[in-house]
Amino acid sequence: MRAGYRYAETSVRYDAPLTVDDMVGGLFSAMSAEQLPPPEQRAAFATDVRDALGGVDAVTERVIVRLQCGIAGS
């Protein structure tokens, strides 16, 4: 604000359905190549995640996206 910007903030909330495959894919995409399980172990990893969820195939993620920005002008 001292630099001449007006502060603004908004947010959006929504529920996002995620399958086990979505979750595992998200995990794998966040891992470095060194952290990824070998290709032959990836299906077992997905099974372990499914088992950890009590056999559930899908969950709902509650998502909050917040946007904070400075707007030029008065």
Side-chain angles (χ1 to χ4, degrees):
M1 292 174 69
R2 289 187 304 223
Y5 290 89
R6 184 171 44 91
Y7 174 80
E9 179 176 317
T10 188
S11 65
V12 176
R13 296 171 189 247
Y14 62 93
D15 290 343
L18 293 173
T19 66
V20 169
D21 288 339
D22 294 334
M23 288 182 273
V24 170
L27 286 170
F28 287 169
S29 71
M31 292 178 171
S32 68
E34 295 80 27
Q35 294 173 312
L36 279 171
E40 64 274 6
Q41 294 178 4
R42 293 177 189 172
F45 182 86
T47 298
D48 290 345
V49 171
R50 189 173 284 106
D51 290 347
L53 293 171
V56 173
D57 285 322
V59 298
T60 300
E61 178 183 16
R62 289 193 163 69
V63 179
I64 301 172
V65 179
R66 290 189 175 96
L67 175 65
Q68 300 173 329
C69 60
I71 302 169
S74 50

